[in-house]
Amino acid sequence: MKKDGDSPARVRFAPSPTGHLHLGGLRTALFDWLWARKTGGQFILRIEDTDRRRFDPESMDSLIRGLRWLGLDWDEGPDIGGPFAPYVQSQRQEIYQEKAQELIDRGHAYRCFCTPERLASLRDEQRRAGRRTGYDRHCRTLSDAERSQREAEGISSVIRFAVPLDGVTVYHDLVRGDIQVENRHLQDEILLKADGLPTYHLAAMVDDNLMKITHVLRGEEWLATAPIHKLIVDAFGWEMPVLVHLPVILDPSGKGKMSKRKKLVAGKEFLALVHEFQDAGYLPDAMFNFLTNVGWNFDPEEEVFSREEAIERFCLDEINPSAAALPYEKLDWLNGLYIRGLTPAALKVALVPYLSRQLGLSEAELQKDRKLDVLIPVIQERLKRLDEGADWVDWAYLTSDEIAYSDPKLLIGRKMDAAQSIAMLRAGAALLEEVELFDADAIQEAFRERASELGVKAGNLFGPIRGAISGKKVSPPLFESMVALGRHETLQRIGRATAYLEGLTIEESV
Ligand code: GLU
C-alpha cells in the first residue's frame, strides 16, 4: 500500500563495470527496485563506466545476468533505452563537458593545469610536514592571462570544483538525518579529467538531475562524498534527490567490510559474488527473501515472505543504519525451505544442470532418467543448495564395478563382524530375489519382517546393504535407492560387496 507522500519514485542503480557483481551491489539494486515498484515509479539501470582504467568488459554481462537472475527488471537502461538515453556514461561525454563549462561560467569551477609531477611532490611535502594531503588550489587564483597562456601552450588541464572556502554544508540522509561538514575540510575535487571524461562526482550529479532521479540509494561508503555532491547540485541551482545510504555489509567475521572475493573463515567458504551464489545453487526466490532483510527488516516474526509482500511493506524510513554481517546460515536455511517448496518436477529441472556439470552426463539424458524421479522426492528434504545434489545421487550413476568397497567398515555394521555382515547381505539378496513388487514400501516391509525372523535389529540388516549399493555411509533412504537402481543392479552390487567381504583376510575384516 502506498503511504502518503510516496509519490512515484525514480531510482537508479548505477554500477561501475569494474568487476563481477557482488552481493552488496545486488542488495542496492534490490532496494532500488523495491522502492520503484512500491511507489509505482521507475527503476533505471545506468552504467557508470567513465573510469576507463578500471573498465572490465565482462562485468556488463555479469551485471545484467545477476540482476535478471534475482528477477529484477528495469524500466530504462542501456539494453532497452528510455526517454533519457543513452544510459551508459561513456556515451554522454559531451553533456558532462558542457555542464563542467557551465560551472566554470558560473564561477563554481576552474581549470587546473598542475602536472602530475607537481601534485606528487606537493603530496610528499605535505606528508613530510605531517599535514593533510590534498590539492593546494594553486590554479584557482590564476589570472585570465595566465590561464590563456597555459592553454595556448597546450598544457593539458582538468576542471576542478571550487569549494566555498568557509561556511558549512548541511545535507540530509534519510537513514542518518542531517549531517554537517565545514567546507574548509573539503577538497577542490576534479570534475572533468584531462582525457575529457568526467569523474563520478560530476557525471552522477548531472545524470541524476537530467534523468529526474528522486531517490539516490547507494552504499554507505559514499557518505563522505555527499557534501561535495550537495555543493555541486547547489552550484547548478538544482534540487538534491533524497539521499539514502545503505548500511555496509560486513564479512563473516563481523570485523571488516565484506570483500569482493570469497573468503575462507575457519575452513568454511563464504561466497561474495552473485554468480558464485548462482553456481552454488541458491534459488533466486531464497536470495530475494534473504537480501531484502539485509539492512531492512520485513518483520522480526516472519522470516519468509513473497515478492509482492516485500514490495507492499518495504519502506525507506525503516532502513537500519548499522552495519551487519551476512547471516549465511540463514541463507542456507531459507534456500532449503524454497527447495522443499518446489514440486519434484521443478526441482528436477533446477537440479539437472548442476548434476550434468558435476556428473559429466548430458542434461537431456538426466532429464529423461527415471532414477532421478525416484530419488528427487527423497533428497529434496535434505538439500540446502543445488550443488549438493550430486553428492546424494552420484552413486546411482556408477556401474557396479565402479563402486569401490575399499573400506570394510562401510559394509560391516556396528558391533558386527564380517561373517555376520555377509549373512545380512545374503539374506537381503535372497529377499530381493523374492519380492514380487519392487516398490519401496513393499521392500521395506519384507526387510523388517525378515530382520525380526532372524532376530537381528533392522539396522543390522540395512547397514551392510546401504554400503553395498551406494558405497557410502550416508545416502538417500535405502528402499527408494533400491527402487532407483532396479532389482538387477541392486542384486549385482550386493553380490560384489559380498564377494569383497568374503575375500578379506581375518585381519582386514576386524
Ligand atoms: N558508480 C558507483 C558505484 O559503482 C555508483 C554509486 C552511486 O550509486 O551513486 O559504486
Side-chain angles (χ1 to χ4, degrees), residues 12-18 22 28 32 46-49 54 89 200 204-205 208 216-219 221-222 229 260:
R12 86 299 191 279
F13 178 52
S16 299
T18 54
H22 60 97
T28 303
D32 277 324
R46 182 173 81 214
I47 304 300
E48 302 203 325
D49 60 343
R54 293 177 60 222
Q89 287 187 330
Y200 166 63
M205 294 313 106
D208 286 347
V216 169
L217 278 65
R218 58 184 188 179
E221 63 273 20
W222 294 108
H229 295 167
K260 296 185 183 174

Short mmCIF file of all heavy atoms in Angstrom, two decimals, residues 12-18 22 28 32 46-49 54 89 200 204-205 208 216-219 221-222 229 260, ligand 1:
data_model
loop_
_atom_site.label_atom_id
_atom_site.label_comp_id
_atom_site.label_asym_id
_atom_site.label_seq_id
_atom_site.Cartn_x
_atom_site.Cartn_y
_atom_site.Cartn_z
N ARG A 12 17.76 4.89 -9.46
CA ARG A 12 18.68 4.28 -10.43
C ARG A 12 19.66 3.39 -9.72
O ARG A 12 20.07 3.65 -8.59
CB ARG A 12 19.37 5.37 -11.24
CG ARG A 12 20.64 5.99 -10.66
CD ARG A 12 20.45 6.68 -9.35
NE ARG A 12 21.56 7.47 -8.89
CZ ARG A 12 22.66 7.01 -8.28
NH1 ARG A 12 22.77 5.73 -7.99
NH2 ARG A 12 23.62 7.82 -7.92
N PHE A 13 20.03 2.30 -10.38
CA PHE A 13 21.17 1.50 -9.94
C PHE A 13 22.26 1.88 -10.92
O PHE A 13 22.07 1.80 -12.14
CB PHE A 13 20.83 0.02 -10.00
CG PHE A 13 21.98 -0.87 -9.60
CD1 PHE A 13 22.64 -0.65 -8.39
CD2 PHE A 13 22.39 -1.93 -10.40
CE1 PHE A 13 23.71 -1.46 -8.01
CE2 PHE A 13 23.44 -2.74 -10.02
CZ PHE A 13 24.10 -2.51 -8.83
N ALA A 14 23.40 2.34 -10.38
CA ALA A 14 24.42 2.94 -11.24
C ALA A 14 25.78 2.29 -11.04
O ALA A 14 26.72 2.92 -10.58
CB ALA A 14 24.49 4.43 -10.95
N PRO A 15 25.89 1.02 -11.38
CA PRO A 15 27.16 0.34 -11.11
C PRO A 15 28.27 0.76 -12.07
O PRO A 15 28.01 1.19 -13.19
CB PRO A 15 26.81 -1.13 -11.36
CG PRO A 15 25.69 -1.08 -12.35
CD PRO A 15 24.91 0.16 -12.04
N SER A 16 29.49 0.65 -11.58
CA SER A 16 30.65 0.84 -12.44
C SER A 16 31.09 -0.55 -12.90
O SER A 16 31.28 -1.43 -12.06
CB SER A 16 31.79 1.48 -11.66
OG SER A 16 31.37 2.74 -11.20
N PRO A 17 31.22 -0.76 -14.20
CA PRO A 17 31.57 -2.10 -14.67
C PRO A 17 33.06 -2.40 -14.48
O PRO A 17 33.84 -2.43 -15.42
CB PRO A 17 31.19 -2.07 -16.16
CG PRO A 17 31.21 -0.63 -16.53
CD PRO A 17 31.02 0.19 -15.29
N THR A 18 33.42 -2.62 -13.25
CA THR A 18 34.84 -2.84 -12.94
C THR A 18 35.10 -4.25 -12.44
O THR A 18 36.19 -4.56 -12.00
CB THR A 18 35.32 -1.84 -11.87
OG1 THR A 18 34.45 -1.94 -10.75
CG2 THR A 18 35.31 -0.42 -12.38
N HIS A 22 28.72 -8.03 -6.98
CA HIS A 22 28.79 -8.70 -5.68
C HIS A 22 27.50 -8.47 -4.91
O HIS A 22 26.64 -7.68 -5.32
CB HIS A 22 30.04 -8.29 -4.90
CG HIS A 22 30.10 -6.83 -4.61
ND1 HIS A 22 29.69 -6.29 -3.42
CD2 HIS A 22 30.50 -5.81 -5.38
CE1 HIS A 22 29.84 -4.99 -3.48
NE2 HIS A 22 30.33 -4.67 -4.65
N THR A 28 21.78 -3.22 -3.19
CA THR A 28 21.40 -1.86 -3.56
C THR A 28 20.36 -1.88 -4.68
O THR A 28 19.34 -1.20 -4.62
CB THR A 28 22.65 -1.05 -4.02
OG1 THR A 28 23.61 -1.08 -2.98
CG2 THR A 28 22.30 0.37 -4.36
N ASP A 32 16.51 -0.50 -4.63
CA ASP A 32 16.04 0.44 -5.66
C ASP A 32 14.74 -0.08 -6.28
O ASP A 32 13.76 0.63 -6.42
CB ASP A 32 17.08 0.52 -6.81
CG ASP A 32 18.22 1.48 -6.52
OD1 ASP A 32 17.98 2.53 -5.89
OD2 ASP A 32 19.36 1.18 -6.94
N ARG A 46 21.80 2.40 -14.96
CA ARG A 46 22.73 3.33 -15.62
C ARG A 46 24.15 2.81 -15.41
O ARG A 46 24.52 2.44 -14.29
CB ARG A 46 22.58 4.71 -14.97
CG ARG A 46 23.46 5.76 -15.61
CD ARG A 46 23.15 7.13 -15.06
NE ARG A 46 23.78 7.39 -13.79
CZ ARG A 46 23.25 8.13 -12.82
NH1 ARG A 46 22.04 8.67 -12.97
NH2 ARG A 46 23.91 8.34 -11.71
N ILE A 47 24.92 2.79 -16.46
CA ILE A 47 26.27 2.23 -16.36
C ILE A 47 27.27 3.37 -16.23
O ILE A 47 27.39 4.22 -17.10
CB ILE A 47 26.58 1.36 -17.61
CG1 ILE A 47 25.53 0.25 -17.78
CG2 ILE A 47 27.99 0.79 -17.53
CD1 ILE A 47 25.42 -0.72 -16.61
N GLU A 48 28.00 3.36 -15.11
CA GLU A 48 28.96 4.42 -14.84
C GLU A 48 30.37 3.93 -15.20
O GLU A 48 31.11 3.44 -14.35
CB GLU A 48 28.85 4.86 -13.38
CG GLU A 48 27.43 5.34 -13.10
CD GLU A 48 27.29 6.28 -11.91
OE1 GLU A 48 28.03 6.12 -10.92
OE2 GLU A 48 26.43 7.16 -11.98
N ASP A 49 30.69 4.08 -16.47
CA ASP A 49 31.93 3.48 -16.99
C ASP A 49 32.95 4.55 -17.38
O ASP A 49 33.63 4.41 -18.38
CB ASP A 49 31.61 2.60 -18.20
CG ASP A 49 30.96 3.41 -19.33
OD1 ASP A 49 30.48 4.53 -19.06
OD2 ASP A 49 30.95 2.94 -20.47
N ARG A 54 39.77 1.13 -15.02
CA ARG A 54 39.24 0.00 -14.24
C ARG A 54 38.14 -0.76 -15.01
O ARG A 54 37.55 -1.69 -14.50
CB ARG A 54 38.71 0.51 -12.90
CG ARG A 54 39.86 1.01 -12.02
CD ARG A 54 39.33 1.59 -10.72
NE ARG A 54 38.58 0.63 -9.94
CZ ARG A 54 37.45 0.89 -9.31
NH1 ARG A 54 36.93 2.10 -9.35
NH2 ARG A 54 36.84 -0.03 -8.61
N GLN A 89 27.44 6.04 -19.38
CA GLN A 89 28.05 7.36 -19.24
C GLN A 89 29.13 7.67 -20.27
O GLN A 89 29.27 8.81 -20.68
CB GLN A 89 28.58 7.54 -17.81
CG GLN A 89 27.44 7.72 -16.82
CD GLN A 89 27.89 8.06 -15.42
OE1 GLN A 89 28.98 7.66 -15.02
NE2 GLN A 89 27.07 8.79 -14.68
N TYR A 200 33.18 10.60 -11.25
CA TYR A 200 31.89 10.19 -10.68
C TYR A 200 31.12 11.40 -10.14
O TYR A 200 29.91 11.53 -10.36
CB TYR A 200 32.16 9.16 -9.58
CG TYR A 200 30.99 8.88 -8.68
CD1 TYR A 200 29.82 8.32 -9.18
CD2 TYR A 200 31.05 9.17 -7.32
CE1 TYR A 200 28.74 8.07 -8.35
CE2 TYR A 200 29.98 8.92 -6.48
CZ TYR A 200 28.82 8.37 -7.00
OH TYR A 200 27.76 8.13 -6.18
N ALA A 204 27.60 11.65 -12.03
CA ALA A 204 26.45 11.14 -11.29
C ALA A 204 25.47 12.28 -10.96
O ALA A 204 24.26 12.12 -11.08
CB ALA A 204 26.90 10.44 -10.02
N MET A 205 26.03 13.46 -10.60
CA MET A 205 25.13 14.57 -10.26
C MET A 205 24.36 15.05 -11.49
O MET A 205 23.16 15.32 -11.43
CB MET A 205 25.90 15.76 -9.66
CG MET A 205 26.55 15.48 -8.32
SD MET A 205 25.45 14.68 -7.13
CE MET A 205 26.10 13.02 -7.16
N ASP A 208 21.82 12.29 -12.48
CA ASP A 208 20.70 12.19 -11.54
C ASP A 208 19.72 13.33 -11.81
O ASP A 208 18.50 13.17 -11.75
CB ASP A 208 21.19 12.24 -10.08
CG ASP A 208 21.86 10.93 -9.67
OD1 ASP A 208 21.71 9.93 -10.40
OD2 ASP A 208 22.53 10.91 -8.61
N VAL A 216 18.37 8.63 -4.29
CA VAL A 216 19.65 8.00 -4.58
C VAL A 216 19.96 7.00 -3.47
O VAL A 216 20.21 7.39 -2.33
CB VAL A 216 20.77 9.05 -4.68
CG1 VAL A 216 22.15 8.38 -4.70
CG2 VAL A 216 20.59 9.90 -5.93
N LEU A 217 19.89 5.72 -3.80
CA LEU A 217 20.25 4.69 -2.83
C LEU A 217 21.65 4.23 -3.22
O LEU A 217 21.88 3.84 -4.37
CB LEU A 217 19.28 3.50 -2.94
CG LEU A 217 17.94 3.62 -2.21
CD1 LEU A 217 17.08 4.72 -2.79
CD2 LEU A 217 17.18 2.30 -2.24
N ARG A 218 22.55 4.29 -2.28
CA ARG A 218 23.91 3.83 -2.58
C ARG A 218 24.56 3.38 -1.28
O ARG A 218 24.09 3.67 -0.20
CB ARG A 218 24.72 4.93 -3.29
CG ARG A 218 24.83 6.21 -2.50
CD ARG A 218 25.57 7.30 -3.28
NE ARG A 218 25.82 8.45 -2.40
CZ ARG A 218 26.46 9.55 -2.78
NH1 ARG A 218 26.89 9.67 -4.01
NH2 ARG A 218 26.66 10.53 -1.91
N GLY A 219 25.69 2.70 -1.43
CA GLY A 219 26.38 2.15 -0.26
C GLY A 219 26.89 3.26 0.64
O GLY A 219 27.21 4.36 0.19
N GLU A 221 29.60 3.69 1.87
CA GLU A 221 30.96 4.17 1.58
C GLU A 221 30.95 5.48 0.81
O GLU A 221 31.96 6.18 0.74
CB GLU A 221 31.78 3.10 0.85
CG GLU A 221 31.28 2.69 -0.52
CD GLU A 221 30.23 1.58 -0.49
OE1 GLU A 221 29.60 1.37 0.57
OE2 GLU A 221 30.02 0.93 -1.54
N TRP A 222 29.81 5.85 0.25
CA TRP A 222 29.72 7.11 -0.50
C TRP A 222 29.32 8.29 0.38
O TRP A 222 29.25 9.44 -0.09
CB TRP A 222 28.72 7.00 -1.65
CG TRP A 222 29.17 6.03 -2.69
CD1 TRP A 222 28.64 4.78 -2.93
CD2 TRP A 222 30.25 6.18 -3.61
NE1 TRP A 222 29.34 4.16 -3.94
CE2 TRP A 222 30.32 5.01 -4.38
CE3 TRP A 222 31.17 7.21 -3.86
CZ2 TRP A 222 31.27 4.82 -5.38
CZ3 TRP A 222 32.11 7.01 -4.86
CH2 TRP A 222 32.16 5.84 -5.60
N HIS A 229 28.77 16.54 -3.30
CA HIS A 229 27.64 16.37 -4.22
C HIS A 229 26.57 17.42 -3.96
O HIS A 229 26.00 17.99 -4.89
CB HIS A 229 27.08 14.95 -4.10
CG HIS A 229 28.08 13.92 -4.54
ND1 HIS A 229 27.95 12.59 -4.31
CD2 HIS A 229 29.25 14.07 -5.21
CE1 HIS A 229 29.00 11.95 -4.82
NE2 HIS A 229 29.80 12.84 -5.36
N LYS A 260 35.15 -8.44 -2.03
CA LYS A 260 34.54 -8.85 -3.28
C LYS A 260 35.01 -10.25 -3.68
O LYS A 260 34.73 -10.71 -4.75
CB LYS A 260 34.87 -7.83 -4.37
CG LYS A 260 34.25 -6.48 -4.04
CD LYS A 260 34.44 -5.46 -5.11
CE LYS A 260 33.83 -4.16 -4.61
NZ LYS A 260 34.07 -3.06 -5.52
N1 GLU B 1 29.21 4.02 -9.81
C1 GLU B 1 29.09 3.98 -8.39
C2 GLU B 1 29.44 2.57 -7.91
O1 GLU B 1 29.65 1.69 -8.69
C3 GLU B 1 27.67 4.28 -8.03
C4 GLU B 1 27.45 4.95 -6.75
C5 GLU B 1 26.05 5.53 -6.80
O2 GLU B 1 25.11 4.76 -6.78
O3 GLU B 1 25.94 6.75 -6.89
O4 GLU B 1 29.50 2.30 -6.74
#
